[in-house]
Amino acid sequence: MNFLRGVMGGQSAGPQHTEAETIQKLCDRVASSTLLDDRRNAVRALKSLSKKYRLEVGIQAMEHLIHVLQTDRSDSEIIGYALDTLYNIISNDEEEEVEENSTRQSEDLGSQFTEIFIKQQENVTLLLSLLEEFDFHVRWPGVKLLTSLLKQLGPQVQQIILVSPMGVSRLMDLLADSREVIRNDGVLLLQALTRSNGAIQKIVAFENAFERLLDIITEEGNSDGGIVVEDCLILLQNLLKNNNSNQNFFKEGSYIQRMKPWFEVGDENFGWSAQKVTNLHLMLQLVRVLVSPTNPPGATSSCQKAMFQCGLLQQLCTILMATGVPADILTETINTVSEVIRGCQVNQDYFASVNAPSNPPRPAIVVLLMSMVNERQPFVLRCAVLYCFQCFLYKNQKGQGEIVSTLLPSTIDATGNSVSAGQLLCGGLFSTDSLSNWCAAVALAHALQGNAAQKEQLLRVQLATSIGNPPVSLLQQCTNILSQGSKIQTRVGLLMLLCTWLSNCPIAVTHFLHNSANVPFLTGQIAENLGEEEQLVQGLCALLLGISIYFNDNSLESYMKEKLKQLIEKRIGKENFIEKLGFISKHELYSRASQKPQPNFPSPEYMIFDHEFTKLVKELEGVITKAIYKSSEEDKKEEEVKKTLEQHDSIVTHYKNMIREQDLQLEDLRQQVSTLKCQNEQLQTAVTQQVSQIQQHKDQYNLLKVQLGKDNQHQGSSSDGAQMNGIQPEEIGRLRDEIEELKSNQELLQNQLTEKDSLIENLKSSQTSGMNEQSSARDSEQVVELKQELAALKSQLNSQSAEIAKLQKEKHELLQKAESLAKSVPEQGQSETVKTTKTDVEGRLSALLQETKELKNQIKALSEERTAIKEQLDSSNSTIAILQNEKDKLELEITDSKKEQDDLLVLLADQDQKILSLKNKLKELGHPVEEEDELESGDQEEEDDENEDSGKDQDHS
């Protein structure tokens, strides 16, 4: 307050004494009056005086006005007057004209009053709470006052709002206000709030600011809208520029797709108003913010792809090729397209396919290059075209090849009906306009950047200089122009082209040194003591000579590395050479060009360095300095090291490729194994279903057998016949079931043995490839022992098979006996029923046998499939190093397999016991089975006795 009183006392033109008294009386009324109407009238009077007597009202009334905001919130009218008065005190927008000597002092009043107001942070919080009032007379002046505070002392007010609870969220509600005046001023408020504050920018973005701002732009008519669209675009730029988080949120929210309608302008859109040009310029800048080369590469790439997918790039190319577009919009569109395609192969390929709407159609690249080499075009437009061409070739070897191919003899159009990009570049390279020379040289250098193949291809280019003279190479023509002493800008451009061409290309260096005039020219230029303007050329000549030494493969005996170094030492001196080489990086325009890829120069004379060339200088300056001071022995050692490294790299590459191939083979085998496992599981499921069906048929057969036995018990005239028909078939059926079970067990054991055999073979092959000789011999002995055990098991199975076949034969004989006995029994009313039942049983039995046969065939097919799988796995190259690490696991598996073999032997022993028990049961039934002949003779005698008994019974009857 004392400071402000001093300022007031120092003013040359102050208010009249009566006005000061009036202000004092009004302040007293505001402070002491008990009636609201009196206070309201006093504040309204202060408002009317605040514009003319800003300092006095501010000093005397600010404290009272803040008190009114705190105590009289119920009356919107007095709050509005108080806010308007504070705005007039703080704002510098509506100041009346003052004398020149007091202008600066009056402008400082706003920041001084702002500092007083925000000294108590509660005042800003109070103002934020007043913005929640919907009343127009409160909300609108509150918005204007807060905007003015942010303009005066932005960072301090931003910090207060940032720490206020829900401070930013309250301000975001202004964008949803239905009154356009408040909404538009709210946009201006958010502009000031988000300026240079990343934290507030993130909060505003996540409060759905993008959605609301894009809606406002659409409602206002996109680029055809008014000043409101401009304000929204500026706010969007504040939120997105240099804020990677918000840029990613903008892309992920699919807001890039909503930008496409902004650029729907074409030939039909006549009448470009100043506001429309401004809006479209800001829209293009907003696109560039998202794809700026300074952004993280991943974020830029994703935005570029999104712009191509939604058609935004296509829309920009339409503007690029349209007619009637203002020059500044066309220039900014070219720059925008440049950054949208920079380093993105898909976008670069699309841009290469764009044609201008001419007759005949010409590629857009050709049309743009025609503008670049045309000296009548605006300078900024030519710079934009050069930037577009550079971005098209950036990390685009395919595009580089297409440009260089237009210079080769095989692709040049002999008829001359169409002009190519290469021809335009050569025309610009050798024209009389130095700016065209520089642009064409830099553009051609970008066609060679980081592409050794195209550097070699460009050596094939031949130029016809005049009629009757033989053609000369492009490389030689560039050196010829250098020696003719052209303008500095032309020579700088050609030297940058030659340095880019010869770097990392020993063949080009050899071609350059093959011309005996080139080295003397360079040494002469470096050795001379010229003015400051020529120092840059001397530095570039030193760089070119250094590249000729560093990338020299010593193929020319007269210009080997050591001889060139001796030449420098004799004619120039090493220290002098290094000093001249340092002129490049010390030039004032070098650092400017190294900052951004875009060639942005205020005038043509500043167009000296290219951004990519500055990277090349930074990369080569140190290595050339070391190469100059190296001795021949160090060079030889370095060459040997390089060769060793190259050999090592080739070996590593070879093994990497081999490992990659083996990984692919291993993946294929894994897929095959998984497929076969799935097939095996399916077949096992089918077998299980078949087994369950067989079991069901067996159960049905047993039920039928029981029913048949009951029928036979009811019909017998003699107890012996009934016993034969009832008991004997049951025994036969039980024997048949047990024989079937033995057969199925035998097949399962056979399958298990086959699986173990294949497992042992696999383990043998795996261990043979992965282990040393000693472990291999030991494992092979184990495998031989396992094979012997398997052979023994197989012989036992064969013997069991013979016994089972013998039992089957006995079963058939028993069946025949049962049938003969059934025929001998006299029929008593139910013979037909018995026959029918027996026929059904026989039919079901034959069906069961048929299903069993089919199951055998399926199992045989499975075994064949497994054999084929085994052959495939054995034939594959299982030499992977992983098997060495799995040696212990394989030994455990061998141990498990031996245990399983032991289990199989136990099972076979159990089967032997069962067979013996079955033989004993057959003996108990009166059928000896020790020898087959005795069994047959015994059966025959028994049959004869039974026939005699039946004959005697008939005679007796």
Side-chain angles (χ1 to χ4, degrees), residues 198-216:
I200 293 179
Q201 290 169 3
K202 292 179 182 179
I203 296 173
V204 171
F206 282 95
E207 288 285 345
N208 206 22
F210 293 139
E211 183 78 27
R212 296 182 183 181
L213 292 173
L214 292 174
D215 288 342
I216 294 172

Side-chain angles (χ1 to χ4, degrees), residues 441-658:
V442 171
L444 198 55
H446 276 262
L448 306 175
Q449 193 78 37
N451 196 330
Q454 301 309 322
K455 293 177 181 179
E456 296 177 9
Q457 287 292 323
L458 201 62
L459 295 171
R460 297 170 49 200
V461 177
Q462 300 289 322
L463 302 175
T465 55
S466 60
I467 300 175
N469 293 329
V472 297
S473 67
L474 177 61
L475 183 65
Q476 184 59 44
Q477 185 65 15
C478 291
T479 56
N480 291 341
I481 295 175
L482 275 177
S483 61
Q484 293 173 3
S486 53
K487 294 181 180 180
I488 291 180
Q489 194 173 38
T490 301
R491 284 183 286 163
V492 169
L494 290 172
L495 285 168
M496 287 194 297
L497 171 61
L498 290 173
C499 290
T500 305
W501 194 346
L502 268 60
S503 63
N504 295 293
C505 187
I507 298 176
V509 172
T510 303
H511 277 73
F512 178 76
L513 295 176
H514 195 270
N515 187 350
S516 58
N518 289 339
V519 173
F521 168 73
L522 292 178
T523 55
Q525 287 286 318
I526 299 168
E528 290 184 11
N529 292 321
L530 304 174
E532 293 184 1
E533 294 182 354
E534 294 291 333
Q535 286 183 351
L536 178 58
V537 176
Q538 286 184 313
L540 292 172
C541 289
L543 178 64
L544 183 58
L545 186 57
I547 290 173
S548 302
I549 294 173
Y550 185 72
F551 295 103
N552 193 341
D553 59 358
N554 295 326
S555 58
L556 290 178
E557 186 176 355
S558 57
Y559 290 111
M560 297 177 67
K561 285 185 177 181
E562 194 60 32
K563 291 184 178 181
L564 288 174
K565 290 180 186 178
Q566 294 173 1
L567 184 65
I568 289 174
E569 190 170 3
K570 289 180 181 179
R571 296 193 179 181
I572 304 171
K574 291 183 179 180
E575 290 77 11
N576 191 24
F577 179 85
I578 299 302
E579 182 183 358
K580 297 292 178 68
L581 182 62
F583 286 163
I584 302 174
S585 56
K586 292 178 183 178
H587 197 277
E588 58 181 353
L589 298 178
Y590 175 86
S591 59
R592 181 172 182 173
S594 63
Q595 293 174 359
K596 292 183 179 180
Q598 182 180 0
N600 189 11
F601 306 102
S603 59
E605 56 267 18
Y606 288 92
M607 204 173 218
I608 297 297
F609 286 108
D610 172 59
H611 176 75
E612 292 296 327
F613 180 73
T614 60
K615 292 182 180 179
L616 182 66
V617 172
K618 188 176 180 181
E619 176 186 350
L620 295 179
E621 187 175 6
V623 296
I624 290 175
T625 302
K626 291 180 182 178
I628 295 298
Y629 285 107
K630 278 183 182 178
S631 63
S632 58
E633 294 180 357
E634 290 176 345
D635 285 337
K636 290 180 181 178
K637 289 181 180 179
E638 186 176 353
E639 290 294 332
E640 292 177 358
V641 171
K642 283 184 179 179
K643 289 181 180 178
T644 305
L645 290 175
E646 289 176 357
Q647 292 176 357
H648 181 266
D649 291 340
S650 63
I651 293 171
V652 170
T653 304
H654 173 69
Y655 279 110
K656 283 182 178 179
N657 294 332
M658 184 184 296

